[in-house]
Each structure stands twice: as structure tokens, then as C-alpha cells.
């Protein structure tokens, strides 16, 4: 009879243990995959930040040299008046960009509405 006990299928508790162990293994597998992908994304994001920073720096140098060139050429024709003109143009552009950024923030373009709606529906489904 002890021989028959060895060939019986596992009970409910043993089956639940196997399912739980498989679920935990699957979860750990998914976490490892996510960690690998996040490491890759972090590296790509770092590269993007470096490239963007260099682009902004070089764009700033180009803007400075263009301003110096315009000031030099304008100085020959209208004298020192070119300096307040260039300052006014840059100030006007800065004000326009600040107003544009403020309108973007007020309109909610940075709030991820679709993602937040999905997260809310997931929360409502779980609760």
C-alpha cells in the first residue's frame, strides 16, 4: 500500500505550492527582464542628455558669435544703438518662450492623461 501512495497525484496544497512557486519564478523572471531593460534605457537616456547638453552648449556659442557679428556690423552703421536693439530682441524672445511654456503647463500637456486614466481604471478594477 505504501507503493500506491507514491503514485497518487499531489494534493491540493502541493498543487497550490507548485503554482505559487511557478508564479514567483515568473515574477522574478519579469523583474530581471525589467531591470535589464531599465539599465539599457538608463544608458540611452544618459547618452541623450550628453548629446542634448552639447547641442545646447554649441548652440549657445553660435548665438554668441552671431550676436557679436551683428553688433560689429551694426556698430559700423548705427553705433552703440545696436546693443540695446540686440538686447531687446533677445528679451522679447525670452518673454515669448516663457509665456509659451506657461501656457503648456496650464493646458495640462505634461500630465499624461491616458496613462493616468489607465492607472485609475486598474486601481478601480483591483479595489
Amino acid at each position: 500500500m505504501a507503493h500506491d501512495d507514491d503514485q497518487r497525484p499531489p494534493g491540493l496544497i502541493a498543487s497550490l505550492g507548485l503554482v505559487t512557486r511557478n508564479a514567483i519564478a515568473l515574477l522574478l523572471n519579469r523583474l530581471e527582464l525589467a531591470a535589464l531593460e531599465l539599465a539599457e534605457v538608463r544608458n540611452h537616456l544618459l547618452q541623450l542628455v550628453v548629446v542634448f547638453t552639447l547641442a545646447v552648449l554649441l548652440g549657445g556659442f553660435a548665438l554668441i558669435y552671431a550676436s557679436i557679428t551683428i553688433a560689429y556690423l551694426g556698430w559700423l552703421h548705427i553705433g552703440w544703438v545696436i546693443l540695446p536693439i540686440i538686447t531687446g530682441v533677445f528679451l522679447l524672445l525670452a518673454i515669448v518662450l516663457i509665456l509659451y511654456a506657461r501656457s503648456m503647463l496650464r493646458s495640462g500637456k505634461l500630465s499624461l492623461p491616458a496613462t493616468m486614466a489607465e492607472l485609475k481604471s486598474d486601481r478601480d478594477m483591483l479595489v
Side-chain angles (χ1 to χ4, degrees):
M1 291 236 170
H3 185 60
D4 289 337
D5 288 338
D6 292 337
Q7 305 224 351
R8 286 179 28 196
L12 179 63
I13 301 297
S15 296
L16 287 176
L18 288 174
V19 168
T20 303
R21 191 173 9 188
N22 287 338
I24 290 172
L26 181 65
L27 179 66
L28 289 176
N29 191 1
R30 296 291 187 248
L31 286 174
E32 289 173 359
L33 179 63
L36 285 173
E37 287 183 339
L38 283 174
E40 287 180 16
V41 167
R42 182 195 59 189
N43 290 339
H44 292 297
L45 185 61
L46 183 61
Q47 288 175 345
L48 181 65
V49 166
V50 168
V51 168
F52 182 74
T53 302
L54 287 174
V56 168
L57 181 68
L58 294 176
F61 283 142
L63 186 63
I64 290 168
Y65 281 111
S67 298
I68 291 171
T69 303
I70 292 170
Y72 176 74
L73 295 175
W75 196 282
L76 298 176
H77 292 79
I78 59 176
W80 63 270
V81 177
I82 191 68
L83 296 177
I85 292 173
I86 292 174
T87 303
V89 168
F90 282 136
L91 186 61
L92 181 66
L93 288 172
I95 290 171
V96 167
L97 288 173
I98 288 170
L99 292 175
Y100 177 70
R102 202 166 89 179
S103 71
M104 282 180 61
L105 290 173
R106 285 189 177 167
S107 68
K109 289 186 178 182
L110 302 176
S111 64
L112 304 170
T115 302
M116 296 308 286
E118 286 298 320
L119 288 174
K120 185 180 178 202
S121 77
D122 290 346
R123 185 193 66 195
D124 292 342
M125 191 168 48
L126 291 173
V127 175

